[in-house]
Amino acid sequence: QVQLVESGGGLVHPGGSLRLSCAASGSIFSITSMGWYRQAPGNERELVATITTSGDTNYADSVKGRFTISRDNAKGTTNLQMNSLKSEDTAVYYCYAKRAYDRKPYWGQGTRVSVSS
């Protein structure tokens, strides 16, 4: 099993920045990708950013140029640097991790991000 714990959420003004962190523990061998999803009230959970073991990244169009994902493969951690935050970024952000031989990913409990003036 894999356990994921997110941190770094909070309240910021529009245009501000936050850095989210996710730490994986347990059976972290063979994790091939990690990333972030988010869910706002009334919306479906949507992919924000992913990163593979080789460092390939993928971003939702809505966050390109503003968010940057990174990871430490050995430690099983991933970070999401969020800049130029907008009110529409307000959501609960969930970390996930995928292992090579698992059909489904593991999920964290979520961390809240609120962007408001």
Side-chain angles (χ1 to χ4, degrees):
Q1 70 281 0
V2 174
Q3 297 83 41
L4 301 172
V5 179
E6 305 100 328
S7 62
L11 174 65
V12 298
H13 297 297
S17 298
L18 283 175
R19 185 189 300 271
L20 305 184
S21 297
C22 175
S25 62
S27 301
I28 65 174
F29 296 107
S30 299
I31 290 179
T32 56
S33 66
M34 300 185 73
W36 298 87
Y37 282 68
R38 67 186 181 186
Q39 187 168 22
N43 292 349
E44 297 181 346
R45 186 174 296 187
E46 63 178 356
L47 187 145
V48 177
T50 62
I51 184 166
T52 68
T53 304
S54 62
D56 292 336
T57 58
N58 185 52
Y59 297 92
D61 289 341
S62 60
V63 306
K64 286 181 179 178
R66 300 187 297 119
F67 292 9
T68 303
I69 189 170
S70 61
R71 69 179 290 185
D72 185 325
N73 293 331
K75 296 182 178 180
T77 60
T78 185
N79 297 319
L80 184 69
Q81 177 66 45
M82 306 185 296
N83 298 326
S84 302
L85 284 162
K86 306 174 181 179
S87 61
E88 52 262 44
D89 295 317
T90 297
V92 177
Y93 285 70
Y94 297 90
C95 177
Y96 85 90
K98 177 71 169 63
R99 295 196 297 178
Y101 51 89
D102 289 334
R103 297 184 64 190
K104 299 179 179 179
Y106 297 88
W107 294 93
Q109 79 286 353
T111 185
R112 291 181 174 85
V113 172
S114 297
V115 184
S116 176
S117 60

